[in-house]
Amino acid sequence: MQNEQQCDFVVVVCFLQDALQRIIATLANKNEELQNFIETLNHTLGRVQVNSTQVVSDLEEEFDTLYSILDEMKESMTNTIKQDTVRKSHELQNQLTQSTSALESAEELLEFANNALHITDEGDFTKAAKQIKDRVTMAPAFRLTLKPKATDNMTHLMVDFSQERPLLQGLKFLPVPRAPEIVLGDCLVIDNEVTVAWRMPAEDSKIDHYILEYRKTSHEGLPRVKDEQCWEVVDDVKSTEHTLQGLRFDTKFMNFRVRACNRAAAGDYSDPVTLETRAFNFGFDSTSSHLNLKVEDRSVEWDPQGGKGVDSKVKGKENKGSAHFTNLKNMSRSGTPSPKRTSVTRSPAPRGARDRFTGESYTVLGDTSMESGQHYWEVKPQKDCKSYSVGLAYRNLGKFEQLGKTNTSWCIHVNNWLQNSFAAKHNNKAKNLDVAAPDSIGVYCDFDRGQLSFYNAENKQLLHTFKVKFTQPVVPAFMCINTIYFHN
């Protein structure tokens, strides 16, 4: 009875410990989220002050420019008025001078004529009358135009800002586009390519282009202010979808955000999203390789002198495009899907395994095992590589066993010695493949579905598929008698 109570007590304690561990994990995650959020708020608060100062400076600059234009226009129009005033004054002054002179001449002639009326001598009167007549004919008073050459009206130089004033009074801040919304269901991560899709919350015909920004990160969830990576920018995106090509999935996640731009300004960023791009990273387990294989960084080479390149595990391979599908319906966009790795385990080979490959089994295994999920990597041999195999194996591959010759290994084998052959091998059975061996081979393992497929890495042509019910973790396996490279 006491033993049963003790067992029950142990079970309860274990249960409570598990529950407490889950609570601790939840609290730790929440604390991390809150810390990241606080950092974001502090960063945003600081940026508000910086950006506010900047836009005030820009506003002052714009108004100073406007003031300068108005001052220039005012000076130009004032000069026009002054010039017209000088012209009119000059013309009127000339008329005034001429008219004054004509008046003086006319007054003298008038006085002379009045005096002539009192002349009693007929001869003198006739002579005076003739002179008066001649002088009147030539008198300036009768030659002048008695109309001012200029008027005092200056209304033609007045300005009317009745149209411009409402425009100035209607000055507003630039109409910026609203923030786009990234559509997670239409985003696709596959084979070192990421397609990001977004939409506008409302139709906006004035949008000219979009700016897409992305960065790699090791953190899931919202982007972190103090992330080690900087944002990369793709400008002038004309559509609401963009595919980033030639990426290298060497981190677990990538952050994305996008903003819309019209011809005047750029709008706010969209809410950032984080997409999983977890790579299947593994190195070469040099302790598992044949003595005549030289294991170096990202390459394995046949060494007839029998020297090891390194005695410890060397990082060798990062996958070509191991990633999670965010939209399964678009899998046809690539012949070789490369979804996420859900479970891998690194476990060194037992001591003494260094010598278990002898004879013709020039094999090396990867140092990371796959226990579930989907994984993809690529293999590229040198041009002069005469013979090699690429595939999977259980870690307990026998001491004298070669790839494809046991029921615990699967591979495709390329032989370019005396006669060319290209075959899929398993359990000592070979199936010749009726295609030429490609320059690069892609390997795709879906552990849960029991699928191992090989592809032409250049055009995604399916070469062969094994249907397997895996009973234990598997590791990448390679065999060569020349140099073979494992690349991103």
Side-chain angles (χ1 to χ4, degrees), residues 19-30:
L20 185 58
Q21 289 292 341
R22 289 193 295 271
I23 292 174
I24 291 174
T26 301
L27 289 175
N29 290 335
K30 180 55 66 177

Side-chain angles (χ1 to χ4, degrees), residues 33-72:
E33 290 179 3
L34 287 173
Q35 182 64 37
N36 182 43
F37 183 63
I38 290 172
E39 291 176 355
T40 301
L41 289 178
N42 286 327
H43 177 77
T44 303
L45 182 60
R47 293 302 302 172
V48 165
Q49 299 300 323
V50 172
N51 292 337
S52 176
T53 301
Q54 182 62 48
V55 295
V56 168
S57 175
D58 293 343
L59 182 65
E60 291 176 347
E61 183 178 350
E62 289 295 327
F63 269 92
D64 287 342
T65 302
L66 184 59
Y67 295 151
S68 177
I69 293 173
L70 291 175
D71 287 340
E72 290 176 2

Side-chain angles (χ1 to χ4, degrees), residues 112 116 119 121-134:
F112 180 70
I119 297 175
D121 183 75
E122 183 178 351
D124 291 339
F125 178 79
T126 301
K127 182 180 178 181
K130 186 176 182 305
Q131 289 178 353
I132 292 171
K133 180 180 177 182
D134 291 341

Side-chain angles (χ1 to χ4, degrees), residues 57-111:
S57 175
D58 293 343
L59 182 65
E60 291 176 347
E61 183 178 350
E62 289 295 327
F63 269 92
D64 287 342
T65 302
L66 184 59
Y67 295 151
S68 177
I69 293 173
L70 291 175
D71 287 340
E72 290 176 2
M73 291 299 298
K74 178 182 177 181
E75 183 178 1
S76 175
M77 298 176 81
T78 300
N79 288 335
T80 300
I81 294 174
K82 290 179 178 180
Q83 292 171 3
D84 198 56
T85 300
V86 171
R87 179 187 63 80
K88 285 188 173 187
S89 298
H90 180 71
E91 291 179 348
L92 291 173
Q93 188 63 48
N94 286 341
Q95 276 192 298
L96 180 60
T97 301
Q98 293 174 1
S99 297
T100 301
S101 176
L103 178 60
E104 292 177 352
S105 177
E107 288 177 343
E108 181 186 358
L109 182 58
L110 177 60
E111 183 179 0

Side-chain angles (χ1 to χ4, degrees), residues 263-365:
R263 295 189 180 275
D268 288 335
Y269 286 105
S270 65
D271 290 336
V273 300
T274 300
L275 300 180
E276 186 178 25
T277 57
R278 182 178 299 175
F280 174 43
N281 299 317
F282 66 88
F284 298 116
D285 184 359
S286 59
T287 64
S288 71
S289 64
H290 189 281
L291 287 174
N292 288 107
L293 288 183
K294 182 180 180 181
V295 181
E296 293 184 342
D297 185 28
R298 304 177 72 174
S299 70
V300 177
E301 184 176 0
W302 162 249
D303 183 5
Q305 302 302 320
K308 280 281 184 181
V310 290
D311 292 329
S312 59
K313 289 189 289 184
V314 178
K315 188 69 175 179
K317 167 66 182 61
E318 293 178 353
N319 79 324
K320 164 69 177 172
S322 179
H324 171 63
F325 280 109
T326 57
N327 189 352
L328 291 177
K329 66 181 180 181
N330 288 331
M331 289 176 61
S332 60
R333 297 176 64 172
S334 173
T336 307
S338 38
K340 67 179 179 180
R341 168 178 60 129
T342 58
S343 179
V344 295
T345 303
R346 292 182 184 271
S347 54
R351 293 185 178 273
R354 181 185 180 97
D355 298 324
R356 66 186 167 96
F357 290 110
T358 58
E360 297 180 355
S361 182
Y362 306 114
T363 306
V364 62
L365 302 180

Side-chain angles (χ1 to χ4, degrees), residues 182-465:
I182 296 180
V183 185
L184 281 175
D186 292 338
C187 295
L188 179 66
V189 181
I190 184 173
D191 287 348
N192 281 356
E193 293 184 1
V194 178
T195 297
V196 185
W198 59 88
R199 60 171 173 247
M200 294 300 297
E203 185 176 354
D204 188 346
S205 60
K206 295 184 178 180
I207 292 178
D208 179 69
H209 65 279
Y210 299 91
I211 298 176
L212 174 65
E213 297 186 5
Y214 66 94
R215 68 180 180 185
K216 298 177 181 179
T217 180
S218 299
H219 307 291
E220 191 173 6
L222 294 176
R224 304 188 175 205
V225 174
K226 297 181 179 180
D227 208 303
E228 62 276 7
Q229 301 285 347
C230 296
W231 288 99
E232 302 286 340
V233 179
V234 181
D235 201 354
D236 202 30
V237 179
K238 296 297 185 180
S239 66
T240 56
E241 179 180 300
H242 185 75
T243 299
L244 297 167
Q245 298 177 326
L247 299 173
R248 179 180 175 183
F249 289 166
D250 51 6
T251 59
K252 294 182 179 180
F253 306 96
M254 289 181 68
N255 302 141
F256 297 89
R257 64 185 185 184
V258 64
R259 64 197 308 194
C261 304
N262 55 30
R263 295 189 180 275
D268 288 335
Y269 286 105
S270 65
D271 290 336
V273 300
T274 300
L275 300 180
E276 186 178 25
T277 57
R278 182 178 299 175
F280 174 43
N281 299 317
F282 66 88
F284 298 116
D285 184 359
S286 59
T287 64
S288 71
S289 64
H290 189 281
L291 287 174
N292 288 107
L293 288 183
K294 182 180 180 181
V295 181
E296 293 184 342
D297 185 28
R298 304 177 72 174
S299 70
V300 177
E301 184 176 0
W302 162 249
D303 183 5
Q305 302 302 320
K308 280 281 184 181
V310 290
D311 292 329
S312 59
K313 289 189 289 184
V314 178
K315 188 69 175 179
K317 167 66 182 61
E318 293 178 353
N319 79 324
K320 164 69 177 172
S322 179
H324 171 63
F325 280 109
T326 57
N327 189 352
L328 291 177
K329 66 181 180 181
N330 288 331
M331 289 176 61
S332 60
R333 297 176 64 172
S334 173
T336 307
S338 38
K340 67 179 179 180
R341 168 178 60 129
T342 58
S343 179
V344 295
T345 303
R346 292 182 184 271
S347 54
R351 293 185 178 273
R354 181 185 180 97
D355 298 324
R356 66 186 167 96
F357 290 110
T358 58
E360 297 180 355
S361 182
Y362 306 114
T363 306
V364 62
L365 302 180
D367 66 350
T368 303
S369 60
M370 294 164 276
E371 301 176 358
S372 64
Q374 300 164 315
H375 315 268
Y376 177 81
W377 62 96
E378 291 183 358
V379 182
K380 184 177 180 63
Q382 275 191 335
K383 294 295 184 181
D384 59 350
C385 189
K386 298 300 183 182
S387 178
Y388 65 93
S389 298
V390 180
L392 286 181
Y394 293 145
R395 184 168 289 280
N396 60 359
L397 191 66
K399 181 181 294 187
F400 303 104
E401 296 171 343
Q402 298 184 30
L403 289 184
K405 290 192 175 183
T406 70
N407 63 352
T408 60
S409 62
W410 304 259
C411 71
I412 56 174
H413 178 71
V414 178
N415 184 13
N416 295 320
W417 283 105
L418 299 178
Q419 59 181 3
N420 295 338
S421 64
F422 186 35
K425 293 185 175 182
H426 171 62
N427 203 19
N428 206 27
K429 295 180 180 179
K431 178 182 179 181
N432 291 325
L433 304 179
D434 297 330
V435 294
D439 293 335
S440 297
I441 296 175
V443 185
Y444 170 61
C445 173
D446 187 336
F447 189 96
D448 300 321
R449 295 184 178 181
Q451 176 182 337
L452 174 61
S453 298
F454 299 90
Y455 292 87
N456 182 327
E458 302 299 325
N459 59 18
K460 308 307 182 201
Q461 177 190 8
L462 178 63
L463 303 175
H464 185 74
T465 295

Side-chain angles (χ1 to χ4, degrees), residues 115-151:
N115 292 334
L117 290 176
H118 298 92
I119 297 175
T120 57
D121 183 75
E122 183 178 351
D124 291 339
F125 178 79
T126 301
K127 182 180 178 181
K130 186 176 182 305
Q131 289 178 353
I132 292 171
K133 180 180 177 182
D134 291 341
R135 288 180 64 183
V136 167
T137 303
M138 299 301 294
F142 294 98
R143 294 177 176 274
L144 291 175
T145 300
L146 301 180
K147 179 180 179 180
K149 290 185 177 181
T151 68

